[in-house]
Structures are given as C-alpha cells and as structure tokens.
Amino acid sequence: MTRISLSRQPGERVLVVEGAEERVIAAADLAAYVREREVDRPRWVWDDTARWYPPLLAAGVRVERCHDLRLGHRLLRRAPAIDAAQLVGPQSEHWDRLGPSVESDPALFSIDDDAEHLRADLEDTRQLAAVTSSTDPARLGLLLAAESAGALVAAEMTFAGVPWRADIHQRLLSDLLGPRPPLGSRPQGLETLADQVRSELNAPGLNPDSHPELLAALRRAELEAPDTRASTLQRLDHPVVVPLLRYKQLAHLFQTNGWAWSDEWVRGGRFRPSYQPAGSATGRWSSNGGGALSFPAQVRHAVVADEGWTFVVADVAQLEPRVLAGMSGDRALARSARGADLYQGMVDDGAVATRNDAKLGLLGAMYGATSGESGRMVAGLTRRYPAAFGLVEEAARAGERGEAVRTLLGRGSPTLGESWARDPEGPPTDPEVQSRHRRTFGRFTRNFVVQGTGAEWASCWIADLRNRLWSMGDGAFMARPHLVFFLHDEVVVHTPLALADDVAAAATEAAGAASGLLFRTLGIDFPLTISTVRSYADAGKAGAVVSPDA
DNA sequence: TATAGCAGCGCC
DNA sequence: AGGGCGCTGCTATA
C-alpha cells in the first residue's frame, strides 16, 4: 500500500515523502494535492491527525486512511511486544514528548513550532520496523490502523458537530432556572432554592456551593453528615433535604451545561466537542473540551436531527463482559455470550439464579470487588467460569507485582513502578501503605485488560462503520450519513431519512466485522440496540434489538 | 494573582 | 475498600 508522509517545514511548506521520492510543496497547495492523490487510496502518514485533518476537511477533502504517528509512538513505547530500542533514532526524543494538539490551536503552522519540524518519514520507518520485528506484528498493526482510523473519526465528528437546537436548550434552562442571569450571579431558580436552604438551616449567609460552610451548617442543625454528596444527604430526615438536593442538581446543570457552556461550545446549530482518541491509559477516548463524554441525558433533548434527516443510535449490549468472554476463550461464558442478553444467558446456563446476580458477579470481577453482595457473587462464579475470571484475576496479580499487562491487540499498561517514580515521595516505606497501593494498582490492571480490549473492539467497529457510511451516499462529506457522536460503546449517526435502515444494517455489519477481527474463532455475538430517532433523548426507548450474524 | 488539589457530579 | 474519564466551584498554597 502506498504510504505518503507529510512533515511541516519552515515557511509554511510541507515535505512530502513517498518511498524514495521527496518533494516540497506550499501549505496552501496541500488540500489540492491530497485530494488529487487520494484517488490512489494511500495511507497518509503525519504527526497528529488533529493538526492535519481539520484544514483538509474544511477544504472539502476527506481521506480514507492515515497513520497517526503521535498515537503510534505512545502506543508502541508501552507495548510489551515491542523492542523499545527500535523506536530510538533522530528526533525520537521529540516524539516521546509530543502531546496532543489542543483544540484552541489546531493550526497546521504556528509561530513558535520551529523546534517541531519533525520528519514524519523517519519516525514512520522506525514504527514500521518496530512492529515488523515485534512478537505480534499482526495484532499491533491492526491496533495502529484502528486507532488511526479513530483519529480520523474524531476529527470528522468535530467537523460535523452534533446537530443542536439552541432554542430547545435555552427553553429547558429557563424552565428550570429562570431567565439567564447576569455574569457572576445565580439564576432566580437557584437563588430561591438557596434561600430555602438557608432558612431551613437557620444559616442566613450560607453559600450552598461551599462544602465546608454547608457541613458546618448541617452540624449546627444537629444533622449527621460526613460529606455533602447527594446519596448522603438523601438519608437525612429534615425539611432541608428536598430543596438542597434540588439545588445541587440544578446548580450542576447551570454550571456544566448552562448558558456559558452553550456560548463556548455551540455555534451555528452544532455542538462541537473536542475528542482525544486513546486519551486515557486504557485506550478509551477522552475529551478535552465540551465535555462530550459526560454529556448528560437531561440536555439530549436539544439534539435534534436536521429536517429530512434522522439519527441512528446504536449501542452494544454488555460490551466488556463479551470482550472478556472472547479474550479469555472461556467456553462457558462464550456460550452465554451468544444471544442478545449475556446475563440472561448465564441464568439460562444454570450458573446463577438471577440476571442481577450475573451482572453483579461479572462487574465485580472486572472491577475487583472483594466484599458485599458483588464480592460473594464473584467467588461463586469463579468456579463456573474459570478462564474468564482467571484472566482478570491474573491481570490483578501481575499489576500488584509491578508488571505491565496487555490488551488483546497488545496495548501495554502503565506499571506500579512508573506511578511510584512519578511521585516525588517515591515508593511508600510503610509496608501497610505499600500493599494498599499494590492492591489499588491491581484493580486498575484487572480492569485495564477488559476496558482496553473493549476500546479496541469499539475502534474497529467505528472504523469499519465509517467506511460503510462513506460508501453509502455520494457527494460531500456532510451530504452523506456520518458519525456525530461516539461514547465508548455507543454511536450516533446523522443520516438522511431514506438511508436510516441501511445505516442500522451497516452498524450491525460493522459490529460483526469487529468481532471477527478480534475474536475470529469464537463466534461471540456483539448484539446492538438500535433506535432511529429524531431526538437523541428518545434513543433506547423504542429500540429494536438486532443481532449481528456472526 | 495564578494554580493545584479536592469534592462532587456527569458519562461509560 | 469497584475501573476509566472531564468539568465545576471552592479552598489552600505560592
């Protein structure tokens, strides 16, 4: 496959390297060049998709595939199957330090980036060699491709934006909070609730946003509350509880998804958050602007499809338990994972009495529960599913010992040693404290293997879906069905009404493709819950369950 | 005045 | 003694 690497050069020029051929073009000519070469379906190699792709999209150029060297470098540096020495060479220390380009400054060329004219072709050669000589080139190659495709999806979703009805959002806010207040003051609805709280607690000057003040006021009213979280306050028997909980709920809405948030993140009928593919250690995406990954259900009413368009919302039922079944090769759990409801499958198999017990036990195993009902279920299920439960148990033990663990496709976890090295205090000297650290880290590595492999399945899923969506329509990117939202195990596609059924089928087929890539031999189902809705808030309410043909 | 850490909440 | 994130205001620190 043709690889074409692009490197920024001084003076707004771009170095283009294809095989042995090198040329320099003006940045102004880049979009035209990429458009012309895209017909050969090359893999574009660049330092950071978030830097190169947005200007191309703005110029109307969509690319099919890329290799994101920044993501690749981060990944390969930690991958246990890689010989780290292979990644060392000219400029490699710069690649070690490369952070994500930020949303506020995604410009291809900035004034002070003279130190950053990294040769993409040199790093590309190192990464390719490192993968080829690794102990698992096929899986690592797949992971790099999937993660790079994810970076393309992220840029495209920010470009497209989530269709957003500002009028609906504003009405929601004013209904709950009253009219928009002047900068720096509370809306009327919150002020009224604050007054009720003050009067119930006999604390005239109380600022309910201040935890110390609130705790002191509660204590004066002879209420026992070790903290101010909602679940604690709910247990108190006092007339202040109702207005206080309401205050906290509405204050959170006001502060995180209120008018100021809208001013910053909504423009021209679109909500455009910024995504960071593989932004978390496990490979899950994070978001560093707009709060896309904690996008509350309450405000999803404002997400309404354009006229003549609709949303296809698809989410995977029990992604991580299914991933665990697949990666552990646990035959009994894999059997339960064939079908729409894995937990019910466990009940039908006679492993457990109720669906809820199944859920408690599996989640407890993946999170490291040791006590309570969940802990007891884990103990019982371990005998029934030795391979699956053994896999997460072994990951926990390895993490406690200070070893790295890896996902199915080869992403390596951080280690206990690293976390101690980062701490100026170093490793705890108190053996009691140290073993607590070890157990905490073990819970992290226990979850890492499952959450990380789940993220890999999801990357393969959206990468495949992205290609299917593109081939489904014609014309400009925004005229075809396109992804507008992705959240760990859920996607939202904005599509012309006429194509909604095709989009739903594509989501299901893509899930089957991802399962095949990761768990070829096992035939684990990854059933989707799919709804076609005008508003995101309605997703899941009238959803049809569609099982992929494995 | 700027910033780091904490508590609390939202999502998975 | 259940994992991963980001965002907010408050608080303490420099």
Side-chain angles (χ1 to χ4, degrees):
Chain A
M1 181 195 302
T2 308
R3 298 177 81 90
I4 309 178
S5 76
L6 304 176
S7 311
R8 288 173 285 147
Q9 298 286 286
E12 307 220 345
R13 307 188 79 77
V14 175
L15 171 67
V16 181
V17 180
E18 180 177 350
E21 186 192 327
E22 294 187 12
R23 52 195 290 216
V24 174
I25 64 175
D29 299 331
L30 180 67
Y33 174 77
V34 171
R35 188 200 312 272
E36 184 191 314
R37 293 305 314 277
E38 181 62 20
V39 297
D40 301 332
R41 307 171 65 208
R43 190 175 295 280
W44 297 98
V45 179
W46 48 42
D47 57 0
D48 186 351
T49 305
R51 200 182 273 282
W52 290 87
Y53 199 25
L56 293 174
L57 285 166
V61 180
R62 186 257 189 196
V63 307
E64 182 172 329
R65 51 193 160 207
C66 77
H67 178 94
D68 187 306
L69 292 167
R70 184 183 70 83
L71 292 175
H73 192 86
R74 271 170 52 110
L75 182 62
L76 296 177
R77 283 282 306 217
R78 273 241 167 89
I82 289 284
D83 170 14
Q86 298 259 357
L87 292 168
V88 178
Q91 300 178 332
S92 60
E93 71 282 6
H94 290 291
W95 290 97
D96 291 343
R97 283 197 294 268
L98 211 55
S101 84
V102 287
E103 185 61 20
S104 57
D105 180 28
L108 192 50
F109 293 91
S110 60
I111 296 162
D112 57 354
D113 69 353
D114 280 355
E116 276 189 35
H117 295 127
L118 303 180
R119 290 275 304 235
D121 55 317
L122 300 182
E123 173 67 12
D124 189 35
T125 303
R126 287 193 291 265
Q127 292 192 11
L128 285 174
V131 170
T132 305
S133 65
S134 75
T135 54
D136 203 349
R139 283 174 171 166
L140 282 172
L142 172 59
L143 180 51
L144 286 173
E147 201 146 293
S148 294
L152 294 175
V153 169
E156 288 168 0
M157 292 201 308
T158 300
F159 173 73
V162 181
W164 185 265
R165 285 276 300 273
D167 57 327
I168 294 178
H169 179 235
Q170 307 274 324
R171 197 167 63 238
L172 178 93
L173 293 178
S174 56
D175 285 353
L176 291 168
L177 300 164
R180 178 174 191 168
L183 207 65
S185 51
R186 287 193 182 92
Q188 190 52 56
L190 274 184
E191 202 52 65
T192 306
L193 286 164
D195 277 336
Q196 288 177 33
V197 170
R198 293 184 190 112
S199 110
E200 292 292 354
L201 289 177
N202 225 339
L206 172 68
N207 171 10
D209 291 328
S210 163
H211 302 133
E213 282 186 40
L214 189 54
L215 282 174
L218 289 169
R219 205 170 307 120
R220 277 198 304 275
E222 297 185 342
L223 291 168
E224 281 294 324
D227 54 64
T228 66
R229 67 187 69 157
S231 57
T232 302
L233 298 174
Q234 206 145 26
R235 287 193 285 268
L236 301 177
D237 179 26
H238 190 278
V240 77
V241 170
V242 169
L244 183 51
L245 289 177
R246 186 73 178 148
Y247 176 89
K248 286 170 73 75
Q249 186 193 13
L250 291 181
H252 191 257
L253 171 68
F254 171 62
Q255 286 157 357
T256 60
N257 294 101
W259 291 276
W261 170 86
S262 180
D263 288 348
E264 187 168 359
W265 297 105
V266 177
R267 202 148 276 133
R270 292 290 188 270
F271 163 44
R272 299 176 197 278
S274 138
Y275 299 92
Q276 271 197 60
S280 82
T282 59
R284 271 192 177 185
W285 290 25
S286 63
S287 159
N288 60 352
L293 274 61
S294 54
F295 185 47
Q298 207 173 14
V299 299
R300 293 185 187 186
H301 289 278
V303 179
V304 178
D306 289 352
E307 205 54 46
W309 289 58
T310 191
F311 294 123
V312 173
V313 181
D315 72 270
V316 192
Q318 307 127 5
L319 173 61
E320 286 170 5
R322 290 172 193 278
V323 160
L324 175 58
M327 68 190 299
S328 67
D330 191 298
R331 300 177 68 106
L333 194 58
R335 199 164 53 239
S336 297
R338 294 196 191 102
D341 187 344
L342 181 144
Y343 301 134
Q344 188 58 44
M346 293 165 69
V347 177
D348 297 343
D349 215 29
V352 72
T354 69
R355 194 180 175 284
N356 195 50
D357 285 352
K359 187 173 177 174
L360 272 176
L362 259 185
L363 293 181
M366 293 189 298
Y367 290 153
T370 55
S371 71
E373 206 176 337
S374 186
R376 279 195 297 280
M377 295 313 307
V378 172
L381 285 170
T382 299
R383 286 187 292 278
R384 199 76 188 203
Y385 304 108
F389 282 56
L391 185 145
V392 286
E393 193 58 33
E394 179 43 41
R397 297 287 90 84
E400 289 174 5
R401 288 194 299 267
E403 299 165 17
V405 296
R406 70 179 88 182
T407 60
L408 182 65
L409 295 186
R411 180 187 302 277
S413 72
T415 62
L416 189 56
E418 284 173 55
S419 87
W420 282 340
R422 261 195 306 278
D423 189 338
E425 310 267 317
T429 44
D430 183 344
E432 198 65 26
V433 176
Q434 181 167 133
S435 76
R436 198 169 66 235
H437 275 216
R438 288 184 184 279
R439 285 194 299 273
T440 298
F441 210 83
R443 284 192 298 278
F444 165 65
T445 51
R446 171 194 292 272
N447 187 254
F448 179 95
V449 293
V450 182
Q451 189 185 113
T453 307
E456 287 164 355
W457 184 93
S459 288
C460 292
W461 181 39
I462 59 170
D464 189 83
L465 177 57
R466 169 180 182 266
N467 289 334
R468 289 174 196 271
L469 295 177
W470 178 252
S471 68
M472 203 171 284
D474 50 33
F477 177 76
M478 291 297 290
R480 309 190 193 204
H482 52 270
L483 285 153
V484 293
F485 197 61
F486 166 62
L487 186 52
H488 308 314
D489 62 358
E490 174 177 2
V491 294
V492 180
V493 176
H494 193 216
T495 176
L497 270 167
L499 293 174
D501 289 347
D502 294 345
V503 169
T508 302
E509 288 158 14
S515 313
L517 282 171
L518 267 68
F519 310 114
R520 189 159 24 96
T521 54
L522 271 156
I524 310 268
D525 283 342
F526 284 81
L528 305 181
T529 305
I530 301 182
S531 357
T532 299
V533 288
R534 183 95 210 285
S535 165
Y536 188 18
D538 298 330
K541 285 180 186 168
V545 175
V546 184
S547 290
D549 299 326

